Amino acid sequence: QVHLVESGGGLVQPGGSLRLSCAASGSISRVSTMAWYRQAPGLQRELVAAITSGGDTNYTDSVKGRFTISRDNAKNTVYLQMNSLKPEDTAVYYCNAGLSYYSGRKEILLDAWGQGTLVTVSS
């Protein structure tokens, strides 16, 4: 009914670049903040970047200056441009979105998550 699908993960060398995409689909009435999280093996999931519906952004310190989050509201899509990648960026990246949709006359609020896409940075 409503789901998020990520794409763009893969294997890159240190210093390389990669762009992740995440599209929300379904009978969505509104989307608030969209974000990217990541989780490396043995570590807790952490917030990487977030962007509000108005375009305000926040980044974790470790990616500032290297990653850029953006969105296309018309397409309900969020992107993460990753440059100057480091081995420590290796993780499964998850898309997250606060959204709502209508089921009959009811508006349903949902904290949606994508299935995850693996990013591996290694030489």
Side-chain angles (χ1 to χ4, degrees):
Q1 187 174 4
V2 176
H3 61 277
L4 305 179
V5 179
E6 303 107 325
S7 63
L11 174 64
V12 297
Q13 296 187 151
S17 297
L18 205 61
R19 191 181 80 151
L20 305 183
S21 299
C22 172
S25 63
S27 55
I28 299 167
S29 58
R30 59 188 175 95
V31 180
S32 56
T33 298
M34 303 186 80
W36 288 96
Y37 288 75
R38 67 185 181 188
Q39 187 168 24
L43 301 179
Q44 295 190 71
R45 186 174 298 185
E46 66 170 342
L47 175 66
V48 178
I51 183 168
T52 68
S53 60
D56 294 324
T57 60
N58 287 291
Y59 300 90
T60 189
D61 287 342
S62 64
V63 308
K64 288 181 179 177
R66 299 189 298 120
F67 291 11
T68 302
I69 189 170
S70 61
R71 65 190 287 168
D72 184 335
N73 290 334
K75 297 180 179 180
N76 288 328
T77 300
V78 63
Y79 306 93
L80 185 67
Q81 178 65 47
M82 304 184 292
N83 299 324
S84 302
L85 284 162
K86 304 174 180 179
E88 49 263 48
D89 294 318
T90 297
V92 176
Y93 285 70
Y94 296 91
C95 177
N96 171 258
L99 53 81
S100 63
Y101 66 96
Y102 281 101
S103 179
R105 295 187 63 185
K106 293 183 177 180
E107 185 178 38
I108 307 299
L109 302 179
L110 177 66
D111 185 31
W113 290 88
Q115 81 286 356
T117 185
L118 177 63
V119 172
T120 302
V121 185
S122 179
S123 60

